[in-house]
């Protein structure tokens, strides 16, 4: 995780770097720092907490630099303290380094350097890089960086400034993202091009330990053998997006309320009502033989994995294609067999999740075809895929994923429809499911109109420390997602469980102190869910039900605490029920006074394994 930003140019480097960091804060926010060269000296300023803290401090100190590198941290080695915050400097204060990734052999290097008399002032893996470069420096900074990088194992993106070179930033990347923005009389270095997209869209991506010497109007890139290489400049199709909260108190709430629009955007231009099918224009140019796919392998983490889990049901049900859904971090350590005609579908909002990227690289090396479902244009995953279906949801700033989940389901549903119509699904059936899909935005609006009701329930239940979220079939991954939202933003222990499994052990936990959020929006399993909820009630467990309209009579026998959602087909019911669980988690977290947009210990983009 962690975000790196660097700037050389006519603008104020400190202000530009702080603004850049704000756009990278989703990558970690437990401390932040800035360093650079001023009048031939390395100066730095570091603060524990969010970028806003650092901003206050630099303003207070009237901190000024000629060039700047900056960092927002998600702690891996060492607690969030000022000494552990980046940038890290060498003992002589001759250079400063910021780092994203993990140096796996740092303790071995640290031991060797300590034996030579180097004194360390932090617990981080990054500090070894600063001392190593200083040790290897004999007047040629590029050679010193190259020599040092050769000793590093792990994943790293680094930005370095040296007092002897007040006009350049050295950037290096190996399995962690690093992009250089060029054009005009300025240059940017960043973990994510969106951080400087307002200024330039001309970029050069670094990889495989490439070393870039970044100057105002000049960029030179070397491989790890220090041979100069020519790198292609890419013109990104991203726009500088507005990331304001509007009139909402939190980004998370704004993003929940955006869903009628984001869900509509996810389907826009991607279907034909007349033909009763999905139109995924151009997909077969990049993925020939898509129609003959005989197996789908879905890879993702967290919320994206839940979306993939939902999709696995409809790929099998609608397209009748066998599906495996794997958590990327687990899948990596299997020895995957890639059968012919397997389509690998990687799902990632950010497109930067290290485990998902590592898993798909392994599969691509084995010859698999890779389709990704992504929100962020220009992300590593999108660049490495044979084809990407973008969510078009706009930036998701709140750390917990909300609008991306519902858009992922829509895009996966369209893919499933596309494959189903190529096989056996009739045009009429295609039209029927499309009618359900296109009515989602209005259905979501009607749920958002009930936010007051959901808030009242959330206030009633916010005091509990343990919850179950139960569902069956489509509502099982929906329950997992509901539980994840509650635990990550309100710090309540919430377990998503398949309702039928309760009696095999977990029912022992049911008591008046452990309420159950029951997801009943799946018609096929509605009756079975009711029986499971009777079992919960028999053990004095409270039930909060999320059910489709038209079932009040049955639900009232179990609980008076229920929220109704509009009727839809089972395949799309996760979208509607999830809007309720998102709002429930939001209002519980608000009631408990939690930091909703930036929950403790988390980062939006998980770029370490
Ligand atoms: C939960 C959440 C995470 C992400 C996960 C994968 O609200 O945001 O679980 O879903 O880290 O991230 P992406 O989708 O960017 O690969």
């Amino acid at each position: 995780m962690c975000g790196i930003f660097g700037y050389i140019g006519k603008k104020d480097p400190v202000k530009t770097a702080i603004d850049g960091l704000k756009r990278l804060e989703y990558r970690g926010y437990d401390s932040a720092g800035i360093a650079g060269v001023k009048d031939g000296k390395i100066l730095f300023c570091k603060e524990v907490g969010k970028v806003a803290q650092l901003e206050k401090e630099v303003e207070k100190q009237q901190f000024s630099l000629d060039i700047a590198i900056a960092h927002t941290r998600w702690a891996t080695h060492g607690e969030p303290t000022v000494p552990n915050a980046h940038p890290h400097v060498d003992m002589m204060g001759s250079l400063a380094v910021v780092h994203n990734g993990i140096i796996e052999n740092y303790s071995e290097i640290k031991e060797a350097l300590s034996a030579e008399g180097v004194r360390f002032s932090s617990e981080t893996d990054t500090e070894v890089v600063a001392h190593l470069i200083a040790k290897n420096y004999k007047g040629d900074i590029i050679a010193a960086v190259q020599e040092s990088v050769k000793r590093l194992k792990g994943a790293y993106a680094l930005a370095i400034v040296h007092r002897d070179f007040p006009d350049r930033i050295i950037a290096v990347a190996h399995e962690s993202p690093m992009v250089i923005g060029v054009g005009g009389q300025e240059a940017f270095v960043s973990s994510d091009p969106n951080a400087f997209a307002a200024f330039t869209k001309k970029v050069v991506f670094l990889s495989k330990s490439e070393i870039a010497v970044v100057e105002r109007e000049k960029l030179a890139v070397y491989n790890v053998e220090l041979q100069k290489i020519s790198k292609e400049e890419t013109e990104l199709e991203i726009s500088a997006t507005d990331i304001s909260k509007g009139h909402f108190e939190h980004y998370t709430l704004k993003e929940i309320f955006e869903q009628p629009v984001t869900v509509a955007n996810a389907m826009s231009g991607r279907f034909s009502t007349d033909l009763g099918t999905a139109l995924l224009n151009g997909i077969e140019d990049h993925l020939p033989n898509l129609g003959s796919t005989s197996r789908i392998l879905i890879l993702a983490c967290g919320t994206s994995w839940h979306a993939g889990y939902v999709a696995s049901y409809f790929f099998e049900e609608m397209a009748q294609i066998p599906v495996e859904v794997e958590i990327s971090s687990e899948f990596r350590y299997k020895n995957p067999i890639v059968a012919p005609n397997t389509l690998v579908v990687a799902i990632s909002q950010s497109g930067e999740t290290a485990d998902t990227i590592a898993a798909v690289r392994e599969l691509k090396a084995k010859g698999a075809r890779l389709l990704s479902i992504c929100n962020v244009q220009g992300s590593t995953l999108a660049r490495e895929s044979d084809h990407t279906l973008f969510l078009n949801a706009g930036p998701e700033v709140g750390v917990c994923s909300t609008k991306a989940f519902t858009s992922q389901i829509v895009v996966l549903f369209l893919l499933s429809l596309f494959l189903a119509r190529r096989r056996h699904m009739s045009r009429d059936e295609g039209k029927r499911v499309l009618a359900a899909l296109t009515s989602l935005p209005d259905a979501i609006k009607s749920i958002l109109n009930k936010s007051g009701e959901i808030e009242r329930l959330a206030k009633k239940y916010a005091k509990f420390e343990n919850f179950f979220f139960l569902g069956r079939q489509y509502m099982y991954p929906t329950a997992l997602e509901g539980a994840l939202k509650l635990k990550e933003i309100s710090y309540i222990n919430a377990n998503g469980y398949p309702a039928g499994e309760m009696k095999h052990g977990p029912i022992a936990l049911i008591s008046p102190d452990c309420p159950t959020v029951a997801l009943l929006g799946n018609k096929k399993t509605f009756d079975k869910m009711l029986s499971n909820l009777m079992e919960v009630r028999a053990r004095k467990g409270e039930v909060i039900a999320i059910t489709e309209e038209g079932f009040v009579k049955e639900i009232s026998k179990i609980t008076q605490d229920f929220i109704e959602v509009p009727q839809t087909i089972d395949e799309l019911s996760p979208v509607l029920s999830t809007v309720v669980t998102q709002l429930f988690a939001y209002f519980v977290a608000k009631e408990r006074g939690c930091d909703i947009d930036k929950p403790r210990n988390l980062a939006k983009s998980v770029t370490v394994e």
Side-chain angles (χ1 to χ4, degrees):
M1 278 99 120
C2 305
I4 291 177
F5 195 87
Y7 178 72
I8 311 181
K10 285 192 203 144
K11 299 185 180 71
D12 173 3
V14 173
K15 189 179 174 322
T16 311
I18 296 280
D19 287 348
L21 278 193
K22 285 184 186 163
R23 288 182 170 264
L24 293 173
E25 215 171 10
Y26 69 87
R27 304 175 72 90
Y29 39 77
D30 55 42
S31 56
I34 182 165
V37 185
K38 178 80 185 169
D39 302 329
K41 285 196 191 110
I42 293 287
L43 301 183
F44 63 86
C45 179
K46 312 202 266 190
E47 282 293 306
V48 170
K50 305 202 171 108
V51 175
Q53 292 297 115
L54 179 68
E55 187 176 29
K56 266 194 211 145
E57 191 53 34
V58 293
E59 277 168 12
K60 198 169 104 198
Q61 291 185 19
Q62 298 187 331
F63 190 74
S64 141
L65 296 170
D66 300 332
I67 58 170
I69 55 171
H71 187 267
T72 178
R73 179 171 186 245
W74 185 84
T76 59
H77 297 62
E79 286 178 28
T81 58
V82 170
N84 288 337
H86 301 214
H88 290 282
V89 292
D90 64 310
M91 283 202 298
M92 291 167 308
S94 61
L95 61 90
V97 175
V98 290
H99 167 219
N100 164 214
I102 290 181
I103 309 295
E104 285 166 5
N105 59 339
Y106 86 102
S107 36
E108 166 199 321
I109 301 174
K110 191 168 178 173
E111 244 173 68
L113 289 171
S114 300
E116 291 174 28
V118 172
R119 287 186 313 281
F120 283 80
S121 44
S122 79
E123 301 154 275
T124 63
D125 52 339
T126 306
E127 196 186 345
V128 299
V129 182
H131 296 301
L132 204 54
I133 298 173
K135 175 184 129 101
N136 290 325
Y137 180 65
K138 312 269 177 315
D140 182 347
I141 185 65
I142 310 171
V145 169
Q146 179 227 17
E147 190 78 357
S148 309
V149 159
K150 278 184 159 177
R151 269 191 76 182
L152 305 180
K153 289 195 185 128
Y156 48 85
L158 302 163
I160 303 140
V161 284
H162 194 289
R163 65 183 174 199
D164 295 347
F165 302 93
D167 54 353
R168 56 173 75 165
I169 296 174
I170 312 290
V172 189
H174 183 70
E175 296 197 355
S176 289
M178 172 66 87
V179 55
I180 322 280
V182 292
Q185 294 180 320
E186 58 186 358
F188 302 82
V189 164
S190 178
S191 306
D192 173 353
N194 286 292
F196 57 67
F199 307 112
T200 183
K201 293 187 183 58
K202 278 196 195 131
V203 298
V204 171
F205 289 97
L206 298 185
S207 61
K208 298 180 189 142
S209 301
E210 286 162 351
I211 303 171
V213 180
V214 186
E215 294 177 75
R216 262 192 193 204
E217 290 174 70
K218 213 161 92 192
L219 174 68
V221 183
Y222 301 85
N223 65 16
V224 77
E225 302 309 329
L226 270 200
Q227 291 151 332
K228 203 163 178 185
I229 50 176
S230 92
K231 291 284 287 187
E232 208 181 311
E233 231 173 72
T234 312
E235 182 87 27
L236 288 180
E237 287 171 26
I238 52 176
S239 51
T241 37
D242 173 25
I243 52 162
S244 71
K245 272 190 260 192
H247 64 278
F248 290 94
E249 196 178 340
H250 294 98
Y251 284 109
T252 304
L253 190 63
K254 176 183 175 232
E255 287 158 9
I256 293 172
F257 271 80
E258 275 173 1
Q259 291 175 110
V261 174
T262 51
V263 156
N265 287 349
M267 63 181 93
S268 169
R270 286 180 167 156
F271 63 88
S272 156
T273 319
D274 285 349
L275 300 175
T277 193
L279 304 172
L280 302 176
N281 289 338
I283 193 169
E284 281 172 307
D285 298 341
H286 304 277
L287 293 164
N289 310 323
L290 186 65
S292 50
T293 299
S294 58
R295 175 178 170 252
I296 294 175
L297 171 57
I298 298 177
L299 289 167
C301 299
T303 288
S304 297
W305 177 69
H306 297 156
Y309 207 144
V310 168
S312 71
Y313 289 97
F314 49 64
F315 277 127
E316 291 192 345
E317 189 104 357
M318 288 164 59
Q320 294 179 0
I321 299 175
V323 186
E324 280 164 79
V325 202
E326 298 269 4
I327 294 176
S328 310
S329 56
E330 285 301 311
F331 181 78
R332 290 194 56 196
Y333 296 98
K334 291 185 170 176
N335 188 9
I337 296 155
V338 184
N341 293 326
T342 298
L343 175 68
V344 177
V345 178
I347 311 169
S348 174
Q349 186 284 132
S350 62
E352 298 295 347
T353 299
D355 283 315
T356 301
I357 289 167
V360 298
R361 280 183 182 152
E362 172 67 16
L363 285 164
K364 279 208 82 176
K366 291 194 159 157
R369 299 166 305 154
L370 173 61
L371 171 66
S372 63
I373 314 264
C374 228
N375 196 32
V376 180
Q377 307 251 355
S379 58
T380 307
L381 183 63
R383 281 183 284 119
E384 295 194 12
S385 301
D386 294 305
H387 189 65
T388 303
L389 292 170
F390 287 102
L391 302 181
N392 303 328
E396 194 180 59
V397 179
V399 163
C400 84
S401 191
T402 52
K403 62 178 178 175
F405 177 77
T406 47
S407 296
Q408 284 164 344
I409 292 182
V410 168
V411 172
L412 287 159
F413 183 83
L414 286 166
L415 178 62
S416 178
L417 174 61
F418 182 86
L419 294 170
R421 287 283 287 121
R422 298 248 151 161
R423 290 156 177 255
H424 55 84
M425 188 189 267
S426 68
R427 181 192 290 217
D428 283 349
E429 179 59 6
K431 285 183 175 180
R432 185 185 74 85
V433 299
L434 274 175
L437 184 73
T438 50
S439 64
L440 283 180
D442 282 341
I444 295 173
K445 274 186 210 157
S446 78
I447 298 169
L448 296 173
N449 286 337
K450 293 185 179 179
S451 68
E453 255 178 77
I454 301 169
E455 184 171 9
R456 270 191 299 282
L457 275 185
K459 282 186 168 157
K460 175 171 171 189
Y461 285 95
K463 62 178 184 290
F464 291 92
E465 293 300 331
N466 295 289
F467 275 80
F468 269 110
F469 280 67
L470 300 183
R472 282 172 173 259
Q473 208 205 12
Y474 285 103
M475 287 297 120
Y476 166 47
T478 312
L480 293 178
E481 175 58 9
L484 177 62
K485 287 296 90 101
L486 189 65
K487 64 185 137 197
E488 71 182 317
I489 63 172
S490 70
Y491 318 141
I492 289 172
N493 174 35
N495 269 309
Y497 231 80
E501 273 291 295
M502 285 298 280
K503 55 192 168 295
H504 299 288
I507 202 163
L509 294 169
I510 294 291
S511 78
D513 297 330
C514 178
T516 292
V517 177
L519 291 141
L520 289 130
N522 199 50
K523 284 179 265 298
K524 197 169 171 186
T525 57
F526 183 83
D527 292 340
K528 292 271 181 285
M529 269 299 287
L530 280 189
S531 312
N532 296 140
L533 296 177
M534 285 296 187
E535 290 153 15
V536 169
R537 291 298 294 128
R539 285 150 187 89
K540 298 196 168 30
E542 301 284 349
V543 173
I544 306 142
I546 301 169
T547 183
E548 289 199 329
E549 286 160 357
F551 295 91
V552 175
K553 209 166 128 218
E554 291 90 330
I555 298 296
S556 303
K557 288 181 201 152
I558 290 175
T559 181
Q560 293 311 309
D561 289 339
F562 58 84
I563 298 290
E564 290 180 288
V565 298
Q567 290 223 2
T568 185
I569 54 175
D570 281 0
E571 288 85 340
L572 295 173
S573 54
V575 170
L576 302 185
S577 299
T578 295
V579 178
V580 181
T581 56
Q582 290 169 348
L583 284 169
F584 183 74
Y586 174 82
F587 288 122
V588 169
K590 193 172 164 208
E591 184 68 13
R592 292 166 70 104
C594 299
D595 188 349
I596 298 177
D597 284 336
K598 293 196 172 83
R600 70 185 183 205
N601 306 338
L602 297 181
K604 179 122 194 98
S605 201
V606 185
T607 58
V608 294
E609 290 165 27

